[in-house]
Amino acid sequence: MTAMAAAARSTGAAEITRRLASICGPSFARFAGAADEVAGRAARWVAVPGGPQATAEVLRLAARHDLTVVARGAGTKIDWGATPARVDIMLDTGRLAGIGHQPAGSPVVEIGAGTPLRAVQAVLERTGRRLPLDPPSPGATLGGVLAADEAGPLRHRHGTACEQLVGLRWLDADGELVGAGVGPAELSAGAAPVGLDVGRLLCGSQGGLGVLVSATVRAQAVPASRIWVSRPVWTPLEVHDLLRAVLAARLDPAAIELDLPATGTRPARPMDPALAAARAAHPSMAGRREASARVGSGTLAVLLEGGPADVAERVDRLVALFDGEATVDNAAPPWWRSYPFGPGDTALRIEVPITDLHAAVYALRDAAGAPVPVRGSAGLGVLHAALPGTLPGDRVASILAAVRGVLLARRGRCVVVAAPPTVRRQIDVWGEAAVIPRLRAAKDHLDPHRRLAPGRLPGGL
């Protein structure tokens, strides 16, 4: 036992609670309850500091007593990723909220890490602006979105929240405030964002490199017109052909999303014999026959944004490209901006070059032995899939091994987003992760004593 650990034990749980209460306020520190867990690991205390200074004091208290800290925003993704080795203090960022003062028409906005994105969007909408961010998790905070590197359909044109960062402030494991990039005032004075390379490593780190305090991100005018054009699709190979056509048409889509359900059947549609022969000869169909009764139709949906006349012209071109099978709507499809998995499922994220997207879906179907629900940003080759939570861990492990073997040769990867505890213990959540050396260097620099969410990063960092 280290000297710090011995000191923590001798101090006593009640005394730690009292000290947390003195930092955060009596109503904002308590022993953890049954619901206070991170990917299946229970916390000991919950602290809700009232600002950056109080958050720094909580981290210093943890350092003095050799306690681990895991940050939590709205908790919408608290079960994502690897299980931490230990959770002593769950640090709730709900009071690190708010929108910084900004000049009218500012192209950026500074936002507290604990601020729900929907609240930010509601405030910006009053001035005709928005953040081009639409993560699927309802109630997600900006800090949670960054920590999980979560993104929605708009990532196709605008990138993820991490890619839109202009400035970032966070606390390291010793409670020292670290800043990177610039804030709204510096940017309006002409300063260029610098030093964000380390800051961007916090994106997707699940709190393992620092506790986010605030972020400065880009804002834009709300588009005057938004139109969704949807088309039914029956096979991954058909999606491949349509994607190539849509991207080649230079329609400047804001998003291209795919929904492939796993249930239902539909008779095969008549197909031109030459086209049928070409598809049968495609390399991805080697050793595979398409069934005469195919899986129920999925949907490829394209979002077009901009001025009304410009959008109308692009819609006409896309409808013509879809050969009369298009549906045009000014509202998103019901499945838009949502995941195909639910609580208790084993959730996967697949990333692959779009030219190999269909091969990845076929590989997943073959490994699972049946169609698997798939949904996500087809235009970027980022999809989510759901395996039943009833599948045993060894079966999930074999599916992952087969899919990752196919993706490895195609410069893709498959990670487990979430899984039941019994499954999580038997699988490799991350698979091959080329960023491990860089993450290890960042962990050694920002958290050398492994106090922040230990074990949450790839490689068990």
Side-chain angles (χ1 to χ4, degrees):
M1 182 185 298
T2 66
M4 284 187 178
R9 179 162 294 186
S10 64
T11 299
E15 179 62 16
I16 294 293
T17 308
R18 186 192 69 77
R19 293 184 184 182
L20 287 172
S22 71
I23 294 171
C24 303
S27 301
F28 298 101
R30 59 178 172 81
F31 286 110
D36 299 313
E37 60 176 37
V38 182
R41 183 78 68 201
R44 297 174 65 190
W45 294 275
V46 176
V48 193
Q53 182 57 44
T55 306
E57 290 182 30
V58 170
L59 290 169
R60 292 181 190 124
L61 175 69
R64 286 196 299 273
H65 297 284
D66 197 26
L67 301 174
T68 63
V69 177
V70 178
R72 175 180 69 183
T76 58
K77 296 172 287 296
I78 201 66
D79 61 336
W80 284 24
T83 301
R86 203 172 99 215
V87 185
D88 292 322
I89 300 174
M90 179 177 283
L91 197 156
D92 190 309
T93 64
R95 297 169 74 195
L96 297 177
I99 302 174
H101 176 73
Q102 55 198 297
S106 172
V108 298
V109 56
E110 185 175 14
I111 304 164
T115 313
L117 271 180
R118 60 188 175 191
V120 179
Q121 301 288 28
V123 170
L124 292 178
E125 189 177 3
R126 297 172 192 164
T127 59
R129 294 183 298 159
R130 71 171 184 180
L131 299 181
L133 301 173
D134 56 349
S137 298
T141 63
L142 178 62
V145 168
L146 289 169
D149 199 19
E150 185 183 26
L154 288 178
R155 82 186 97 188
H156 181 89
R157 177 187 285 176
H158 304 286
T160 65
C162 185
E163 291 168 328
Q164 297 179 44
L165 283 177
V166 174
L168 193 66
R169 292 197 304 153
W170 72 92
L171 292 160
D172 67 14
D174 293 323
E176 295 298 320
L177 185 64
V178 183
V182 297
E186 295 90 344
L187 194 68
S188 62
V194 296
L196 272 175
D197 286 349
V198 174
R200 287 198 168 105
L201 280 177
L202 272 71
C203 297
S205 70
Q206 302 283 3
L209 295 178
V211 176
L212 295 169
V213 172
S214 67
T216 302
V217 295
R218 300 190 183 278
Q220 62 177 215
V222 175
S225 179
R226 307 184 80 209
I227 300 293
W228 284 262
V229 181
S230 304
R231 183 193 189 280
V233 291
W234 280 263
T235 69
L237 188 56
E238 183 179 23
V239 174
H240 171 268
D241 295 340
L242 286 171
L243 274 176
R244 290 183 60 185
V246 171
L247 295 173
R250 301 186 182 277
L251 296 165
D252 191 24
I256 304 176
E257 294 286 299
L258 173 67
D259 177 47
L260 288 177
T263 58
T265 60
R266 174 170 178 158
R269 297 178 303 157
M271 184 181 297
D272 177 78
L275 178 58
R279 288 187 174 175
H282 195 279
S284 72
M285 299 303 293
R288 179 187 289 111
R289 290 189 308 165
E290 291 198 63
S292 58
R294 309 185 203 181
V295 172
S297 68
T299 306
L300 184 69
V302 180
L303 170 60
L304 301 174
E305 295 184 335
D310 173 60
V311 169
E313 186 271 335
R314 285 184 285 144
V315 166
D316 288 343
R317 289 166 53 201
L318 183 54
V319 169
L321 187 149
F322 281 168
D323 196 25
E325 295 189 82
T327 299
V328 179
D329 206 327
N330 58 8
W335 52 266
W336 188 268
R337 216 183 89 179
S338 65
Y339 293 117
F341 51 81
D345 288 338
T346 295
L348 311 179
R349 184 174 71 245
I350 293 172
E351 302 170 6
V352 68
I354 59 172
T355 53
D356 292 316
L357 190 68
H358 60 297
V361 176
Y362 280 132
L364 180 59
R365 287 184 178 184
D366 290 347
V372 173
V374 171
R375 186 180 297 158
S377 297
L380 293 178
V382 180
L383 298 177
H384 288 89
L387 297 174
T390 54
L391 281 182
D394 57 349
R395 177 73 179 112
V396 174
S398 69
I399 293 172
L400 287 173
V403 173
R404 284 168 173 166
V406 172
L407 293 178
L408 183 62
R410 300 173 185 271
R411 296 177 291 113
R413 62 192 300 250
C414 175
V415 302
V416 178
V417 174
T422 54
V423 173
R424 196 192 305 265
R425 288 193 289 268
Q426 300 181 62
I427 61 174
D428 177 2
V429 169
W430 299 108
E432 293 291 331
V435 297
I436 288 179
R438 194 177 181 201
L439 286 175
R440 182 175 288 110
K443 187 76 169 175
D444 290 342
H445 176 64
L446 297 171
D447 182 24
H449 300 292
R450 305 300 195 258
R451 287 193 294 265
L452 297 178
R456 291 281 269 168
L457 289 169
L461 295 173

